[in-house]
Amino acid sequence: MINNGEELVKKIKEMKDTNKLDLASGEDLSIGIMNLISLEEHFFFSYGKTQDKKFLDMLNDVRKMRTELMKDIVKDPQGEI
């Protein structure tokens, strides 16, 4: 089981090195990142409605994972900072 973004990135790189990924892996990563963004939005609005801090904790965990995965897509982060 993969517990964080770093482990996921490591696993993806291992699969790339052994040629187990198809050409659509970049597209899959993009879709996965979009889903993480949706989760961030969901947790933000859920916190706004409930004021339950567990949603902020989950939001921060998902944001950290998304940030790590974005490093594989954004090669020149100058405009993203």
Side-chain angles (χ1 to χ4, degrees), residues 3-64:
N3 295 318
N4 61 42
E6 291 175 16
E7 289 179 19
L8 181 60
V9 170
K10 182 180 175 185
K11 186 71 171 174
I12 290 171
K13 286 180 182 177
E14 288 173 3
M15 291 177 73
K16 282 183 182 178
D17 291 342
T18 59
N19 251 351
K20 291 183 180 178
L21 291 178
D22 60 349
L23 295 175
S25 64
E27 293 172 12
D28 291 342
L29 180 58
S30 297
I31 292 169
I33 289 171
M34 286 187 282
N35 288 333
L36 290 173
I37 292 169
S38 294
L39 280 172
E40 286 181 59
E41 292 172 350
H42 174 73
F43 293 144
F44 177 80
F45 289 117
S46 294
Y47 172 74
K49 288 180 181 179
T50 66
Q51 299 299 305
D52 189 340
K53 297 219 185 247
K54 73 178 179 184
F55 291 112
L56 292 180
D57 294 337
M58 289 187 285
L59 180 132
N60 286 327
D61 290 342
V62 170
R63 183 170 288 155
K64 286 176 190 173

Side-chain angles (χ1 to χ4, degrees), residues 57-74:
D57 294 337
M58 289 187 285
L59 180 132
N60 286 327
D61 290 342
V62 170
R63 183 170 288 155
K64 286 176 190 173
M65 186 181 299
R66 180 183 52 84
T67 301
E68 286 300 312
L69 295 174
M70 288 290 291
K71 291 177 184 176
D72 281 354
I73 291 179
V74 179

